[in-house]
Amino acid sequence: MASCMVSILFLFPLIATMSAEEPPGCKIRITNRGLEMLKYETQKFVVEELSNITMPEMKGKEGHFQYTIKEVKINELNLTYADLAFQPGLGLLFKVQNSSIALSFQRHILYWLFYDTGAINASAEGVNIHTVLHTTRDELGRLKISNITCDASIAKMKMKFTGTLGRVYDFLATFLTTGMLFHTENIIVFFKIWTHPVRTEVDNYVGIDYSLLSDPLVTSRSLDMDFRGMFFELGNESNTLVNSAINPIVREYDRMVYLALSEYFFDSGLYSYYKAGIFQMNITNEHMPKDLEMLLRTTYFGIIMMINPALVEYPISLQLELNSAPKTTVKTSGVTVAITAIVTVMVLPPGKAPVQLSSMTMEAKFNAKVSMKGKRLAVHADLRRFKIYSNQSALESLALIPLQVPLKTMLQISIVPIINNWTKRGVAIPLADGMDFIEEVVEYHNGYLIIGANLHFSKGLREMIERKIQADAENAI
């Protein structure tokens, strides 16, 4: 039961209301292989946690029989057979069969005039637990455990008493069964309140929305989650790109996890950064390559002399500004990003307004290599195509031909490394902190890409839980 909750809720930090008809920008599939790994990790966690759990003092009265039970401790839990599996159409099934549990506690019993105290060591064999977690989407777009079906039974019990009274066997058998269910429900309730931020900031400019768009689709082989996967500008969260991309289709089951991203995932990020105004750059002084500066002076010497001969001695600058958001294209051959920018050539007289010499259009196309680093999605860009032409006349476009190669070189040497240094930081995918992708393989399809990988716990589950509790406490202040 606790294994089920840890498995699901660590995997899906989910967030914000959306319509189920909207195509997802991001999909995650957890396969049986991934569930098997999670079962192994969380089973260890459950055994450790149950060993440290103590129940509160319990008091009661039945006729002349009065009792107080305290200092309950689980000494040993032996999960002979435990299985975590997908329950088609519902969620997850956790089964424990033919296992054993050992408890110890202190008793204080009053029966008529007889008073008895002492310790009880109890063990149960043939422990069976059957728990089904029904997973849905709540009104905020987060994963919700809408219903829990939990049954527990014990085939055989043994008890060893210290003290004088030993005629409470039937009552304590009922108590032990109730105690098992108490532990089960306590752990499930604990993880039910485990939620993640609705929206997450990526950096100082944009955030990302991983809303769950519909209820999880559960089959016998996998659990599929559809996320909105949309970036937004922090300064204007309502100004977002409409999703008109195709719905990614995941057909594979061989790896533990699959992450599918449509063109919209990347386009919404580029659109948000464009609206935030970061696709602007001024190149001048020490950032201007000397050979390019000399070529610009030669090309525009006549114009400078016509405007004001005194401008010849002043620095020349290039101003680059995108006039539209970049566009991503994903095909079986890979990912490309196309941009269109206005390049303005200016002279910078000290203490005066810049003097424009020319304005040209730059079109460039980049190859984008997508990779995973832990749980962060990174992109590396390489310049593929480049051309410039005049906004004013075809004759000036001919005059710009000598600038093609120097400007392309400047773009490769000065601007592309800046872009890659920024994009290599990556963006987090909806996966719990401490759980990473390893051995990933990227497959490209028309309109979307799929990353298949295995999972690795870089942190223990206890540490992951404590870090989350601490983060929630800090956010609540």
Side-chain angles (χ1 to χ4, degrees):
M1 55 283 164
S3 300
C4 316
M5 299 304 302
V6 177
S7 302
I8 303 180
L9 295 172
F10 268 103
L11 282 170
F12 310 114
L14 312 167
I15 349 178
T17 302
M18 286 304 301
S19 166
E21 285 108 14
E22 180 182 3
C26 170
K27 278 189 172 186
I28 286 184
R29 164 172 289 177
I30 305 300
T31 67
N32 277 322
R33 285 194 60 201
L35 202 62
E36 187 68 24
M37 188 276 293
L38 291 172
K39 180 182 74 173
Y40 173 75
E41 293 291 338
T42 55
Q43 196 169 301
K44 294 189 301 181
F45 169 78
V46 170
V47 172
E48 293 172 358
E49 287 302 296
L50 287 177
S51 299
N52 295 323
I53 289 177
T54 57
M55 291 175 59
E57 183 177 293
M58 299 179 65
K59 295 182 179 180
K61 182 177 181 181
E62 296 181 7
H64 299 288
F65 183 76
Q66 300 180 46
Y67 63 90
T68 299
I69 303 295
K70 61 181 180 179
E71 298 179 19
V72 180
K73 184 178 181 181
I74 297 179
N75 300 319
E76 183 181 357
L77 177 65
N78 180 19
L79 299 179
T80 304
Y81 173 83
D83 189 33
L84 180 64
F86 295 119
Q87 188 78 354
L90 295 177
L92 290 183
L93 167 67
F94 181 69
K95 293 192 300 183
V96 173
Q97 294 178 343
N98 297 323
S99 298
S100 62
I101 185 172
L103 295 174
S104 64
F105 47 89
Q106 294 291 324
R107 74 183 188 279
H108 295 269
I109 297 173
L110 178 62
Y111 183 68
W112 290 93
L113 299 177
F114 296 96
Y115 180 72
D116 180 71
T117 63
I120 296 179
N121 293 315
S123 64
E125 298 177 359
V127 176
N128 298 302
I129 301 173
H130 187 278
T131 301
V132 178
L133 303 177
H134 302 250
T135 57
T136 60
R137 167 191 178 276
D138 72 5
E139 65 279 2
L140 295 178
R142 297 171 300 193
L143 181 68
K144 177 184 178 181
I145 306 302
S146 62
N147 189 25
I148 300 171
T149 304
C150 184
D151 298 308
S153 63
I154 298 174
K156 182 179 180 181
M157 289 189 57
K158 296 180 180 178
M159 293 194 183
K160 182 178 180 181
F161 297 85
T162 63
T164 59
L165 187 62
R167 294 180 297 172
V168 291
Y169 183 89
D170 291 337
F171 163 73
L172 289 174
T174 302
F175 166 74
L176 185 55
T177 304
T178 303
M180 286 176 53
L181 291 174
F182 176 86
H183 285 300
T184 301
E185 295 299 329
N186 258 6
I187 296 173
I188 290 176
V189 169
F190 175 77
F191 286 108
K192 278 182 67 177
I193 65 174
W194 197 281
T195 57
H196 293 262
V198 173
R199 288 188 166 195
T200 305
E201 292 185 5
V202 175
D203 51 33
N204 294 330
Y205 304 100
V206 305
I208 191 165
D209 180 348
Y210 281 124
S211 300
L212 188 62
L213 298 181
S214 59
D215 291 345
L217 176 62
V218 185
T219 69
S220 61
R221 303 176 67 186
S222 67
L223 187 149
D224 292 354
M225 311 288 286
D226 286 356
F227 300 98
R228 188 178 187 191
M230 181 201 73
F231 291 83
F232 56 89
E233 180 193 353
L234 294 179
N236 187 2
E237 295 188 14
S238 61
N239 184 8
T240 57
L241 189 67
V242 176
N243 187 353
S244 58
I246 65 173
N247 191 341
I249 300 175
V250 182
R251 294 185 173 90
E252 294 83 5
Y253 296 89
D254 294 335
R255 292 178 175 266
M256 294 182 181
V257 61
Y258 290 91
L259 171 69
L261 303 171
S262 74
E263 290 177 346
Y264 176 75
F265 180 87
F266 301 99
D267 281 344
S268 68
L270 294 170
Y271 177 84
S272 299
Y273 280 116
Y274 169 72
K275 287 298 182 179
I278 73 162
F279 292 127
Q280 301 178 25
M281 182 174 293
N282 288 308
I283 302 173
T284 186
N285 297 325
E286 67 273 9
H287 299 293
M288 174 77 74
K290 295 302 180 182
D291 55 347
L292 178 59
E293 181 181 9
M294 182 63 66
L295 186 59
L296 289 172
R297 288 187 183 279
T298 302
T299 302
Y300 295 102
F301 179 78
I303 297 177
I304 294 174
M305 294 300 293
M306 289 176 60
I307 297 175
N308 184 353
L311 296 176
V312 173
E313 300 179 358
Y314 299 138
I316 290 183
S317 75
L318 287 176
Q319 182 184 70
L320 281 72
E321 182 175 359
L322 268 62
N323 57 4
S324 62
K327 181 67 179 72
T328 306
T329 301
V330 183
K331 294 183 178 181
T332 55
S333 56
V335 180
T336 59
V337 178
I339 66 169
T340 303
I342 300 300
V343 180
T344 305
V345 184
M346 296 182 294
V347 176
L348 306 177
K352 297 181 180 179
V355 178
Q356 180 174 321
L357 301 179
S358 177
S359 178
M360 65 189 87
T361 297
M362 178 187 74
E363 294 181 355
K365 183 173 286 188
F366 298 85
N367 286 331
K369 182 180 180 181
V370 178
S371 63
M372 290 294 301
K373 297 180 180 178
K375 58 172 289 186
R376 302 189 71 84
L377 184 77
V379 178
H380 181 87
D382 290 308
L383 184 61
R384 178 182 174 186
R385 294 179 183 174
F386 173 87
K387 74 173 181 177
I388 55 172
Y389 54 89
S390 172
N391 298 327
Q392 298 166 358
S393 68
L395 185 61
E396 186 176 8
S397 292
L398 291 174
L400 294 176
I401 292 177
L403 292 176
Q404 293 273 0
V405 174
L407 284 176
K408 181 178 181 180
T409 302
M410 180 206 66
L411 198 61
Q412 290 174 318
I413 296 176
S414 301
I415 299 179
V416 173
I418 295 175
I419 295 174
N420 285 331
N421 187 58
W422 175 60
T423 58
K424 73 178 182 181
R425 292 175 292 181
V427 59
I429 62 170
L431 198 66
D433 184 31
M435 188 180 293
D436 298 333
F437 274 35
I438 60 171
E439 302 169 349
E440 64 275 3
V441 175
V442 183
E443 295 182 355
Y444 299 97
H445 302 264
N446 291 326
Y448 61 95
L449 62 86
I450 297 176
I451 301 176
N454 292 323
L455 294 172
H456 169 69
F457 278 97
S458 59
K459 298 175 184 176
L461 293 184
R462 168 45 53 193
E463 181 183 356
M464 295 165 71
I465 292 174
E466 290 175 348
R467 286 171 65 93
K468 181 61 172 64
I469 293 175
Q470 181 181 355
D472 286 347
E474 293 174 352
N475 293 332
I477 297 177

